[in-house]
Amino acid sequence: MENFWFYIKLGLQHVLDLGAYDHILFLAALAVPFTFKSWKKVVLLASVFTIFHCLSLVLSVYNFFTIKVHLIEFLIPVTIVVTAIFNLWYSKIDTKKGNITIHAIATTIFGLIHGFGFSNYFKMLMSGEEEKLSPLVGFAAGIEISQLVIVLCVLILGYLITKFLKIKQSIFVVVVSVLIVLITIPLLISTFPF
């Protein structure tokens, strides 16, 4: 059980590590178009992200599939930029009525990419473990908890800004999405594989 808690903490640290802020940026980009009225949609998307993030870890830990590290490190900021740019279009849609199918498909693919980004380190940690399922479940639980914290923070920030500063939700989405793109550009440049 002690090992299980270790992996929960590892999942929490993986997402909440300010030094590796790419995960936070992605979640912020994912959550920013939503409001508290549509919180179920963003929680569903965060859960889809967790599931496929962990699936890529399973594929890697059990040696079913691996991807070159330098390619994944470049694709991670690409997923952030694509999500933020998608928000610019999505900001014109009423999120209470908007269909999240495209979001869910993209989140599935992006979850796999982000999981492979952490898979080498996680695989190294797991090399001494005889039983791999419990650590994977603990890690997934830590990821899910921390992602829900980030999503909640983004929803609260959006609520406070739109409610008290009287800024329209669509303007908030555009401004935050553009900021996310600008913050991510250095990551794109530094990880460019060619």
Side-chain angles (χ1 to χ4, degrees):
M1 191 64 165
E2 187 178 315
N3 241 6
F4 186 73
W5 288 111
F6 169 78
Y7 284 102
I8 286 178
K9 289 178 195 171
L10 186 65
L12 288 166
Q13 292 166 352
H14 170 60
V15 176
L16 299 175
D17 179 8
L18 295 178
Y21 57 92
D22 57 335
H23 212 122
I24 295 170
L25 281 175
F26 177 78
L27 290 167
L30 186 69
V32 78
F34 298 94
T35 64
F36 276 114
K37 291 177 182 173
S38 56
W39 68 269
K40 289 179 185 175
K41 291 179 181 180
V42 73
V43 167
L44 174 66
L45 291 172
S47 297
V48 166
F49 183 78
T50 301
I51 290 166
F52 285 92
H53 185 283
C54 292
L55 176 61
S56 57
L57 288 176
V58 168
L59 293 172
S60 178
V61 166
Y62 289 104
N63 293 314
F64 291 122
F65 195 77
T66 56
I67 296 180
K68 294 182 180 185
V69 175
H70 70 278
L71 179 61
I72 287 297
E73 287 180 359
F74 175 68
L75 289 176
I76 288 172
V78 168
T79 65
I80 298 165
V81 169
V82 168
T83 304
I85 290 171
F86 180 72
N87 289 344
L88 300 177
W89 170 76
Y90 199 73
S91 68
K92 298 175 183 170
I93 298 172
D94 181 358
T95 57
K96 293 183 292 270
K97 298 176 186 170
N99 187 331
I100 62 165
T101 304
I102 294 171
H103 259 106
I105 292 168
T107 302
T108 298
I109 295 165
F110 297 168
L112 287 169
I113 291 169
H114 283 249
F116 279 116
F118 191 68
S119 64
N120 286 335
Y121 176 70
F122 193 75
K123 198 172 172 178
M124 185 180 67
L125 282 174
M126 296 285 293
S127 64
E129 301 285 347
E130 290 180 26
E131 198 272 312
K132 297 183 186 320
L133 185 60
S134 177
L136 283 165
V137 171
F139 186 70
I143 288 174
E144 186 69 9
I145 292 165
S146 55
Q147 288 187 160
L148 293 176
V149 167
I150 292 169
V151 163
L152 181 62
C153 288
V154 172
L155 291 176
I156 289 170
L157 180 66
Y159 174 78
L160 293 174
I161 288 175
T162 56
K163 177 81 172 173
F164 295 110
L165 298 180
K166 305 291 185 209
I167 294 174
K168 288 175 61 176
Q169 174 70 16
S170 60
I171 298 208
F172 171 72
V173 171
V174 168
V175 168
V176 172
S177 297
V178 168
L179 284 173
I180 289 171
V181 169
L182 293 174
I183 293 169
T184 307
I185 287 173
L187 284 173
L188 281 170
I189 293 168
S190 67
T191 59
F192 193 72
F194 304 108

